[in-house]
Each structure stands twice: as C-alpha cells, then as structure tokens.
Amino acid sequence: MLFDIRTIVGGLLGIYGVILIIVGAVNHSAADLQRSGGWNTNLWSGIVMAVIAVGFLIWVRLRPTQVPRQTESSSPAE
C-alpha cells in the first residue's frame, strides 16, 4: 500500500476532534458559554472535526492510491 496523506490528516483530525469533544463535554462553564454566544464551541468544533476525519478515512478506503502503470511504448526511442 502506498503512503497516503489522507490517512495522516484523517487520523490527526480524529484525535483532535475526540480531545475537543471530551473537553467540551467535561469542562465548560457559564462564562465560556456567555463569551461564545451560548454555543459550546469546543464540543461543536470537536464533532465537526470528528465527522471530517471519518470522511477522510472513508475516502481513503473507497479510493485507494494506486501505482501508475508503465506502458511499453514509453521506452526511449532508438
């Protein structure tokens, strides 16, 4: 299998998304909600990042990278 940057991006977004979901669910205060206009921004940002990470990882599975085939006609001319 070839190196695919989508796997790295999906993994990192997933890790950061899970961390933000945990922080948003555990550590939020009324002052934080007031500053953000009533939104729990850590929680919602984490959910969005996790969804995008799943999208990247599904994309990798559905469209894997492939080695380009070389044709015989691409050999140097004599």
Side-chain angles (χ1 to χ4, degrees):
M1 188 165 176
L2 295 175
F3 174 76
D4 195 352
I5 193 72
R6 296 175 295 179
T7 306
I8 303 297
V9 172
L12 286 174
L13 282 173
I15 290 169
Y16 294 144
V18 168
I19 290 170
L20 283 174
I21 289 170
I22 292 169
V23 169
V26 174
N27 186 19
H28 64 278
S29 64
D32 291 336
L33 291 175
Q34 183 182 4
R35 276 192 306 240
S36 63
W39 290 78
N40 189 345
T41 53
N42 285 335
L43 180 66
W44 284 105
S45 298
I47 291 170
V48 169
M49 289 175 83
V51 167
I52 292 172
V54 168
F56 266 92
L57 298 176
I58 289 172
W59 183 21
V60 168
R61 293 290 278 172
L62 293 178
R63 303 274 315 237
T65 54
Q66 298 175 358
V67 177
R69 293 185 232 182
Q70 295 181 354
T71 60
E72 292 180 26
S73 63
S74 65
S75 62
E78 294 179 32

